Amino acid sequence: MAPHIISAVKGAEVDVIKPVRALISVSDKTGIVDLAKFLSEQGCELLSTGGTAAAIRKAGLECKDVSEHTQSPECLDGRVKTLHPKIHGGILAVRGNAQHEQDMADNGIGAIDITIVNLYAFEATVAKGGEFAECIENIDIGGPSMVRSTAKNHAFTTIVTSPEQYQEVIDSIKEKGGTTLALRKRFAARAFATTAAYDSAIASYFSNQLGTEAPVVTKVYKPEYPLKYGCNPQQKPAGILSGMGKELPFSVVNGKPGYINLLDAAGAYQLVKELKDATGIAAATSFKHCSPAGCALAVPLTPTECQAYEVTEADAAALTPAALAYVRARNADPMCSFGDFAAISEIVDKDTAMYLKKEVSDGIIAAGYTDEAVEILSQKKSGNFIILKATEGYTPPNEEYREVWGMTMMQKRNDVIVSNEHVKDENVVTKRKIDDEVKRDMILASITLKYTQSNSVGFAKGGQMIGIGAGQQSRVDCVKLAGRKVCTWALRQHPDVLALKFKEGSKRQDRVNARVRYIEGDFTAEEKTRWEANFAEVPKPLTAEAKAEYMAAFNGVVLSSDAFFPFRDNLDHASKYGVEYIVQPGGSVADKGITECADEYNMAMAMTGVRLFHH
């Protein structure tokens, strides 16, 4: 074929260019044969190298080797294949530039109109634990050079760097007769981001090898979609980005999630997934403002819990594990769960969707959904209920980066999952020991705190969190805050609370709120009048003596702390809430005194050695 030159006005941009010669060199061969076949059918000459050329020829297509095109053999074990004037000249020539056209004619350079390249899998080699020399050998040189050259000359050439772009190229040629300038500009922007991310991965690898001597760390992000605003309406613009070449940990099934929704979804799903991995039991959580309001495992409900949660015993017996876990999670603290973001470790089924349908909730993230569940949940909030599906097999990066006030902080991801290994018998430091059910609740409480804003403590009983104290500067204040929630949870099962007679047609959330206020009892005169309007029969007050008597018999509670207890006042206060078991990291000079305090109260205490601060 004669040298191919497209005529154009010097310096002008050409809108639609039909590819006449394509250069193809891909490591990921997904869909490449179909694209090559289409280009060939359009009369486009195919140039290629190595395995890509073999794959194209195997499909029965004509394909010229790059070495034949350049009249220069590959050399240096394939390190030099495309680094040649007939390649880069064909890519970089400005169409319509008389000098460029003369140079091309003098040197036998034919124009290359479309370059289809994806790069050596450097990161995959690193991830497999390749030796340093092997990783270095997998640094692509020719590929990024072709990508950058084509992207620079996007006024006349098309750079394609991902299989996901192939169909858009095909559609453009079918509809427009070639690639449009708008498409070429977009693809060029993507191409430069691709090479930046590639170089970033190599730079990061070298930095990790050098340790503290690392000269620079680079990160490249791809905008995925914009958000209405950030944490507050005045914080615009806002959006979600992914690491270049990386997938997001979720996909949107329905609705438009906001900034805080996605922060809640991220913490919530990690929490339930780790609980399922650690216990083998379905898990659910009810998240609000970056901390769990409730969290639970699919442990059967007691008859009294059924009454308190407004679930008939027959319905409770029929609940699937996903539904059961969420019923428990939502009822840990139903006032705080109002307007929550739910997460479930399982496939969400009809049962779970029907339960969630009647609750005031912003959205859910789960392992997946049945078609029935999606149909039911999509109707919530006038069709705006947020449904996110967790990406199956998603592996988060080992390092986390966070930008705050012009600083970028980096840390290793907290990938420790508290398990039976952390609460084994050897880790119990008190005279009293623990059984398997207690270990289960210790794991539940500890993993819950891993995703709770610190300082934090949590109380668990029967496979369910029943009180969470988050974000307090003083640890004993965490205990007091969570302890108050424990009292409320327990007293919701008091006979007088279960016997409350509400007016016919009262709303579920109004009943929830009225019960809590009945337990608290600290009404203003105006509030009491409005509270009494909820009832067909106004109840007598729940006296302090009645509450104290009920709580005195309350026991079997596990208390977890995200860091060590510095003073015994934490245990002294916890003893008021039926705490018999404690799990904490330990590691304080006060450990001996705290252990002695636990023994005084006949509490069993395990020390995991794992601090779980979360900020």
Side-chain angles (χ1 to χ4, degrees), residues 251-511:
S251 57
V252 179
V253 178
N254 190 71
K256 295 180 179 179
Y259 190 97
I260 295 174
N261 294 143
L262 292 174
L263 288 175
D264 282 344
Y269 192 73
Q270 289 180 86
L271 167 53
V272 297
K273 185 178 186 306
E274 289 187 13
L275 277 174
K276 176 64 181 290
D277 290 346
T279 66
I281 305 172
T285 186
S286 170
F287 237 69
K288 284 283 293 289
H289 296 294
C290 299
S291 285
C295 188
L297 300 168
V299 174
L301 298 173
T302 67
T304 305
E305 287 170 344
C306 287
Q307 284 185 271
Y309 301 168
E310 297 189 6
V311 179
T312 68
E313 291 188 43
D315 286 344
L319 288 174
T320 61
L324 177 58
Y326 184 69
V327 168
R328 278 197 172 279
R330 179 81 188 203
N331 279 284
D333 187 346
M335 280 189 72
C336 286
S337 284
F338 183 84
D340 71 343
F341 205 95
I344 299 177
S345 64
E346 310 301 298
I347 302 294
V348 173
D349 49 32
K350 180 181 177 181
D351 277 4
T352 314
M354 290 301 294
Y355 183 83
L356 190 56
K357 180 181 179 180
K358 62 186 177 183
E359 301 291 359
V360 177
S361 178
D362 282 350
I364 183 173
I365 182 169
Y369 304 86
T370 65
D371 291 343
E372 280 184 306
V374 171
E375 184 177 354
I376 293 165
L377 294 174
S378 295
Q379 296 171 13
K380 279 179 66 66
K381 298 188 70 175
S382 302
N384 294 317
F385 186 71
I386 300 161
I387 306 174
L388 305 180
K389 181 182 182 300
T391 301
E392 186 176 359
Y394 177 77
T395 302
N398 288 327
E399 291 84 30
E400 296 176 330
Y401 294 82
R402 185 178 183 185
E403 293 186 10
V404 178
W405 204 39
M407 302 179 292
T408 300
M409 292 173 281
M410 185 275 283
Q411 65 175 355
K412 179 183 180 294
R413 180 176 176 270
N414 185 5
D415 56 3
V416 173
I417 299 178
V418 178
S419 65
N420 279 311
E421 185 63 22
H422 294 93
V423 293
K424 59 188 177 184
D425 293 343
E426 297 93 307
N427 289 16
V428 178
V429 296
T430 48
K431 296 174 183 176
R432 184 173 178 177
K433 302 304 175 184
I434 58 178
D435 59 25
D436 288 345
E437 190 170 297
V438 170
K439 290 178 181 178
R440 177 202 65 197
D441 285 354
M442 285 183 167
I443 292 168
L444 164 64
S446 297
I447 293 179
T448 299
L449 295 187
K450 181 181 172 183
Y451 294 98
T452 302
Q453 298 295 303
S454 298
N455 281 334
S456 63
V457 301
F459 295 77
K461 178 179 170 66
Q464 177 178 346
M465 298 304 296
I466 60 173
I468 299 171
Q472 302 303 300
Q473 289 74 25
S474 166
R475 191 157 300 278
V476 72
D477 281 346
C478 294
V479 175
K480 291 175 181 178
L481 173 60
R484 178 173 61 80
K485 294 173 181 285
V486 170
C487 282
T488 300
W489 181 85
L491 290 167
R492 281 164 55 209
Q493 300 173 59
H494 189 285
D496 290 355
V497 177
L498 296 177
L500 292 173
K501 292 180 172 58
F502 290 94
K503 286 182 177 177
E504 190 73 26
S506 61
K507 294 182 178 179
R508 178 182 176 83
Q509 193 62 43
D510 289 341
R511 296 194 298 272

